[in-house]
Amino acid sequence: MGITRRQLLGWMAAGAAGTAVFPGEGKTAVKTHFAGFPDSAGVLHDITRCIGCRKCEAACNEVNDLPAPAKPFDDLDVLKQPQQLSEARYTVVNRFQPAGQESPVYVKTQCNHCLEPACASACFVKAIKKEETGAVTYDESLCVGCRYCMIACPFSVPAYEYNEPLTPRIMKCTMCHPLIKKGELPGCVAICPKEALTFGSREELIKIARQRIYKHPGRYIHHIYGEQEMGGTSWLYLAGNPFSALSMRTDLGMGPAPALTSGALAVVPLIVGVGVLFLTGLYAITKRKEKIAEEERLEAVNQTRSELEELMQQKLAEQKKAAEKEKEAAVKREVERAVAEAAKPTESEATDDSASAKEEHGNA
Amino acid sequence: MHDQQPVGMEQRSIWTPFNIVTGAILLMGLVLTVIRFTGGLGAVTNLDHNNPWGIWIGFDLLCGVALAAGGYVTSAACYLFGLKRYHSAVRPAILTAFLGYALVVLALTYDVGRPWRLPYPIFFSQGTSSLLFEVALCVMLYLTVLFIEIVPAALEWLGLRRARNLVARLVLALTIFGVILSTMHQSSLGALYLIAPSKLHPLWYSTYLAVFFFVSSMFAGLSMVIFESTLSHRFLHYKMDQEHLDQGEGIALGFAKAASFIMMGYVFIQLIGVALDHDWGHLATGWGAWYLVELLGFVALPAFVYAIAVREKRLRLIRWTAVWTVLGIVLNRLNVSLVAFNWQLPADQRYFPSWMEIGTTIFIVTLGVVAYRFIATRMPILYAHPEYQHE
Amino acid sequence: MTKRFLSRRRNHYILTAFLLISLSVASILSSDHSAARQENSRVDMVTLKLPSTEAAGKMPAVVFLHDKHTKALTDKGCQTCHDKMSDAGQPEKFNFEFKNTRDLDSKAAMEKYHAECAGCHQEMQKSGENSGPLTGECRACHQRKPEISSAWQRIPFSKSLHFRHTKTEKIKFKPQTYENNCGACHHEYDKKLEKTVYKKGEEGSCRYCHKDQKVEDTRSYRYAAHTDCVNCHKRLAEAEKDAGPFDCAGCHSRKGQKKIKKLSDVPRMKRGQPDAVLMADWLKEAVESEELPKQWMQPVAFDHVTHEAASQTCRACHHASLEPCRKCHTLPGSADGDNVALGPAMHNSDSIKSCVGCHDEAKQHKNCAGCHAQMTGQVFADRDCGQCHAVGKDRLDPLPANDEARAKIAAAQISARPDAPEGVSEAEIPEKVTVDIMADEYQGATFPHRKIVKALAKKTKKSKLAAAFHSGRPETLCMGCHHNSPASLTPPRCVSCHNLNKEGAADSRPGLKGAYHGQCIGCHQQMEIEKPAATDCTECHKKSDKTLKANSG
């Protein structure tokens, strides 16, 4: 087992990086800002330099083996219509004609490779990943095709192969990840004749961008698009016109995408924990209430029954007494009557007496 | 229970209007299925780069789950809050929920690119930072829970007493588990859209989106139980036992009252949401009018009507209000997922479903109706099985 | 069964219909109607907005089309809407504020507007003529999103226009004791006399007193200009003399402005301004102590004549009054000069009123921008102070005691400046240069080097600024492309600084390919040279055999 110090450090870095990809996740008390992997790469797009030659589109098409376009890349009339990224085009150039300006402005669009990508945080199978090189890559072998990444992406970058029946893929710029791992330049950067695209470490690119703004204050808007947008992107832009005039969204905010959902995710364990306790407790209370109610009911029934029984007994005893009294009286009367009859017998009296005696017995 | 069917049901012709229309829909569904799985989503849907989710998500998933909320609401009321008088509503609600969720999953197999990978997020590669992962996990678990909850009905039907008793003992644990799962995924369906503040109109986007979805799912569930029992009372009256018939009115009144309260609360928290995000200015726009139509016309107003109907014990009004509320929920889910989503795009880039998408949705809904009918006419759903009547 | 079936189906219908309706409502809501609306812009659109009152605040401002009304009411005349006012001894004037509403408070003004506008419209309608909106048709006038947009253009009172007003005999300025018509417009308020008077030699810009809004009793610029210009033009027109325009479009539309006669050669304005100024803050003190201070900046010889010719108005440099700069911008700064000290006042590159700021602006002209836009701009440290601060010690002996003496020194310095930039002799310019160090997909480019240099020389020749600042070194022009190296007629090759491989260039310096394309294309774009198009590769390079083979095979 020869683990070199380098390897060990590498693993540690990878581990740290793994936890750093979504630093907002689950952390509510500590808010740290992930400023990108150290020395990760990026591209600076100097919009003022772009001449709209579409060479980058052609190079991208070739490097990524994408289907041939309907019109060749050197047909610049294509730029008269707005161009959109698609499953066959990882990058497009668009022409803008800002008001009060004679020369048009060209803007290249592709995946911005966010430092904390919304798409990666949205992917429920981790098919999209922020690489240490800075590239945001996509693993076809995991993708389910739910297209939540497309919903999540604030720049509307990922495209989908809608016409692929069984193996549709998400298609987007990879920053030529395989090439940059080999130490080569991304296709578009390598071909750009005007060096409107500069590849390099993101930190270095920010310095270069600042230098350019400082040296040519009249040429640039004093803003590096992508330095802060959506928590920062690996692709950076400099422009001479307000970015909003170039159809670039300036209302996205400076927070990273995962921060938008971290709160909702952090509540999950809370709901499970507190929920089980709460509901079980609720059930227990309900049950207890039912039990008490049942007991109280039984007790009440029992009490009523015993009270009733007692009352009955009492009544019975009273009646018994009364009956005995009656009996005695009857016997006495009988005796007296017998005595009287014996002395002076009449028909009518005898009938009356026997009826009343019968009645009393019935009552008892 | 064949012997319970009224005489004459057995002999009727299969060419009833219901069967013909259903058959036609199912046939169309099969054709669409073939097109979908040979030509891809592009052949069937109007989805595009800017609009990756259409009505299969907006209606089938979001509305499907919200309207299946009756399951957890009813079982929670009956078993956890001890409101035994709602007992007869539990099984139909659970069945509806189960079918609802099953159809949601079915709809997803149409919508996702590689449906056989649907278990991937759970068993293969867990993207825990995604709210969709939470939804997937909860839906999977809850579907299992619902299945176990409904299985006693099948076992009773099949006469497997011991198995049935074994499962029936799990009721409490399952209910608690089910309520928690529902809480989580009902809310996380709303939270799905938290990631896209730049695409969803500010009146619908809120950091409280999850709460809105959860709270609205409660009254959606309650109203759905009322609505769906209305339908059962009309079409499957003959299957109901005395308990069911007796409790029907009480359930409607009780649920309507609860729904009314929750809806008032919902309106209130929606307004808090507007206030917190300082969205008042948006109310003066066309979008604001549409938002007010949804909030006032389809929540506040039915809540008020519910309250009146309950006080005056007007059952018919309650039932119509239930339909109204259900439509309100559908409106809300469609607004969040389709109408107010991508609101900034020009009209020609907006999404409108193709007839084939609508057809597929109708097909899936029809499947649900047929399945419900099949199960409810055979298994002890709307009546208690004579052997288990006293449990 | 049928009934049952029907009602079930009804539910389906309701659901589907509901779905469809909600989606279509949404798509209607979200559609952009503005695209459908016809773009309609007018010069004479006036937005009538009263200072907010309870009543007025609730309605959007009124969109009023002035020329439309002028045209419709030609017969009735301005008095339909505007009252006449007369100052003693002055010709009659219209008050170009609607019916004296200026002196009313908002509510009264609103009532007046409502009564007068709608009242007039009503009368028109009664007499069977076309009329504007009537009472009750609020939104016809009060428009939240006006269908008409304003095409109003500011009209600069250019030197040409100024000169024509000075020299014309149509303006009868009384008393007619002055050579020019200055007093017809220029005036000053005399507090003692409580009226405006003309003071010769103290004319300034209207803007000094007439601000955007009325300040105390001073009329707003807009009101003053309209009262004075339009009344005069109108009066002249009524006297059947060739007069200036008095409708909106005449002055404020592009079309109208084009019609205004422009003099190509405008004589200087005469207000006693100097021809040349010797600028140094220490001069006065030095003259008093009769010796040159120990720490001193060489004075600048300022060519007032040339600067006057190069700018449209005096206000281009003078802002508060036509006083010398140093009066307010003292060396340490003073409250009069808004605490902007003399140094920054002259050198602040952000201000168009400073020397440096204005010169930087001038470098953006297409004839200059080809080279200058590529250069590091506006970093003060890179500037060569001696270029302007060039008056040497020898010229300052003796120290000039008065303005006249100073002006003489300055004039001498100025006349020593070259009239045109010094050129490089043709033989020293390589005729053609081929760049093929990185030929790959395309062959190398051969470009007509000498032709390009000559074209640049021609373009800079006309510029006095270039003549002054490119001075001394014939190689200055070369540095337009061969930048950042020491000035030389034999500059180093581009590859000396720019990497052939882009990967190597980790700093902000472009790689070789980027440098070449940046320089050539950038310059062509800045100088608005349309051919060859930046994207037309084969105009400069031929496709290499390699590429051709790959394409054909």
Side-chain angles (χ1 to χ4, degrees), chain A residues 122 125 143 146 148 162 249 286, chain B residues 42 53 80 117 125 130 192 198:
Chain A
V125 283
C143 182
C146 70
Y148 188 34
Y162 282 110
R249 295 200 60 169
T286 311
Chain B
W53 283 358
L80 299 181
R117 285 186 179 173
S125 174
S130 172
L192 278 184
S198 57

Side-chain angles (χ1 to χ4, degrees), chain A residues 292-304:
Chain A
I292 289 172
E294 182 67 20
E295 274 172 5
E296 279 175 351
R297 193 176 62 86
L298 276 178
E299 208 174 301
V301 166
N302 283 344
Q303 200 178 343
T304 320

Side-chain angles (χ1 to χ4, degrees), chain A residues 59 179 184-193 197 199, chain C residues 502-503 513:
Chain A
L179 288 183
E184 291 173 35
L185 287 175
C188 53
V189 177
I191 203 155
C192 180
L197 301 170
F199 179 84
Chain C
K502 203 151 61 165
E503 296 98 291
K513 186 166 70 172

Side-chain angles (χ1 to χ4, degrees), chain A residues 35-191:
Chain A
F37 293 109
D39 286 334
S40 71
V43 175
L44 172 66
H45 177 25
D46 189 333
I47 291 169
T48 66
R49 292 186 178 185
C50 183
I51 53 170
C53 65
R54 299 185 73 211
K55 294 254 176 231
C56 48
E57 290 189 44
C60 178
N61 182 277
E62 197 187 319
V63 171
N64 293 297
D65 233 349
L66 296 171
K71 285 181 182 168
F73 286 110
D74 52 13
D75 178 359
L76 300 182
D77 283 345
V78 168
L79 296 178
K80 285 177 183 160
Q81 307 295 327
Q83 302 297 303
Q84 204 178 37
L85 299 173
S86 73
E87 66 271 28
R89 302 172 79 187
Y90 287 174
T91 186
V92 292
V93 174
N94 267 298
R95 170 155 61 191
F96 295 92
Q97 188 64 63
Q101 184 178 322
E102 288 205 1
S103 50
V105 176
Y106 299 94
V107 182
K108 176 185 181 293
T109 310
Q110 71 298 305
C111 174
N112 285 327
H113 300 274
C114 305
L115 299 183
E116 297 177 63
C119 56
S121 87
C123 184
F124 71 160
V125 283
K126 287 200 227 164
I128 300 180
K129 199 175 145 203
K130 179 76 176 172
E131 305 282 349
E132 280 173 71
T133 55
V136 175
T137 57
Y138 164 73
D139 183 356
E140 186 201 331
S141 71
L142 290 172
C143 182
V144 180
C146 70
R147 308 187 297 287
Y148 188 34
C149 49
M150 296 172 73
I151 294 277
C153 179
F155 304 106
S156 297
V157 166
Y160 183 74
E161 294 182 310
Y162 282 110
N163 293 318
E164 198 62 46
L166 294 173
T167 55
R169 290 170 295 173
I170 287 291
M171 303 293 272
K172 70 162 205 74
C173 161
T174 63
M175 211 199 251
C176 288
H177 187 242
L179 288 183
I180 58 178
K181 266 177 92 177
K182 277 193 275 174
E184 291 173 35
L185 287 175
C188 53
V189 177
I191 203 155

Side-chain angles (χ1 to χ4, degrees), chain A residues 347-361:
Chain A
E347 197 61 32
S348 63
E349 260 179 39
T351 344
D352 267 6
D353 278 346
S354 68
S356 68
K358 237 184 225 165
E359 216 173 286
E360 272 165 32
H361 276 286

Side-chain angles (χ1 to χ4, degrees), chain C residues 417-436:
Chain C
R417 284 179 191 156
D419 284 336
E422 204 172 325
V424 183
S425 69
E426 202 162 298
E428 277 182 284
I429 310 171
E431 196 192 343
K432 290 207 166 159
V433 174
T434 303
V435 180
D436 56 1

Side-chain angles (χ1 to χ4, degrees), chain C residues 101-349:
Chain C
T101 41
R102 194 160 72 127
D103 301 327
L104 300 174
D105 64 69
S106 287
K107 197 166 178 229
M110 181 193 80
E111 277 161 9
K112 184 125 188 172
Y113 271 116
H114 282 168
E116 297 284 348
C117 298
C120 185
H121 289 169
Q122 195 139 23
E123 271 174 37
M124 299 284 276
Q125 199 204 29
K126 265 185 201 162
S127 59
E129 286 173 82
N130 285 341
S131 86
L134 303 168
T135 313
E137 295 174 48
C138 310
R139 301 283 164 179
C141 298
H142 294 276
Q143 297 175 5
R144 194 173 298 281
K145 286 180 184 168
E147 285 175 17
I148 291 168
S149 65
S150 176
W152 184 88
Q153 295 289 323
R154 184 179 296 280
I155 170 146
F157 200 67
S158 66
K159 280 188 294 186
S160 157
L161 212 49
H162 188 267
F163 181 72
R164 289 179 55 210
H165 280 86
T166 346
K167 278 294 164 197
T168 181
E169 286 177 8
K170 287 171 212 152
I171 299 176
K172 293 271 181 279
F173 172 62
K174 288 169 194 172
Q176 191 67 279
T177 45
Y178 301 105
E179 186 192 342
N180 294 323
N181 297 324
C182 308
C185 303
H186 291 279
H187 53 240
E188 229 170 79
Y189 186 73
D190 191 313
K191 277 182 190 166
K192 274 183 198 161
L193 298 172
E194 290 187 341
K195 65 172 191 176
T196 56
V197 292
Y198 170 59
K199 283 191 182 165
K200 188 173 166 56
E202 287 179 24
E203 300 90 348
S205 163
C206 320
R207 282 284 186 180
Y208 296 164
C209 302
H210 299 287
K211 306 292 182 196
D212 283 347
Q213 298 293 325
K214 182 184 167 190
V215 179
E216 288 167 16
D217 276 340
T218 313
R219 301 170 294 171
S220 72
Y221 181 74
R222 190 182 130 117
Y223 180 69
H226 283 128
T227 311
D228 291 2
C229 302
V230 179
N231 269 314
C232 189
H233 287 180
K234 198 165 158 42
R235 214 162 41 234
L236 288 171
E238 277 163 5
E240 286 176 32
K241 284 178 190 161
D242 180 25
F246 49 88
D247 56 344
C248 305
C251 290
H252 295 294
S253 70
R254 281 186 203 278
K255 213 172 145 190
Q257 289 178 7
K258 267 184 199 154
K259 276 190 203 160
I260 297 172
K261 201 160 74 184
K262 269 200 185 81
L263 301 177
S264 54
D265 194 20
V266 185
R268 283 181 78 193
M269 290 181 198
K270 287 181 181 171
R271 194 189 168 273
Q273 71 270 39
D275 295 349
V277 183
L278 191 68
M279 295 169 96
D281 72 293
W282 46 261
L283 268 171
K284 198 177 162 215
E285 237 174 275
V287 169
E288 277 164 14
S289 65
E290 291 182 357
E291 65 174 328
L292 205 62
K294 276 193 181 127
Q295 293 163 306
W296 63 294
M297 188 76 196
Q298 280 173 273
V300 176
F302 179 74
D303 185 349
H304 203 283
V305 181
T306 309
H307 281 89
E308 269 176 54
S311 41
Q312 277 301 315
T313 64
C314 305
R315 287 207 309 137
C317 300
H318 296 277
H319 33 104
S321 69
L322 300 188
E323 301 285 352
C325 315
R326 63 167 192 276
K327 195 175 176 219
C328 302
H329 296 297
T330 59
L331 192 67
S334 75
D336 287 342
D338 266 346
N339 290 318
V340 178
L342 185 60
M346 299 298 136
H347 303 110
N348 182 5
S349 55

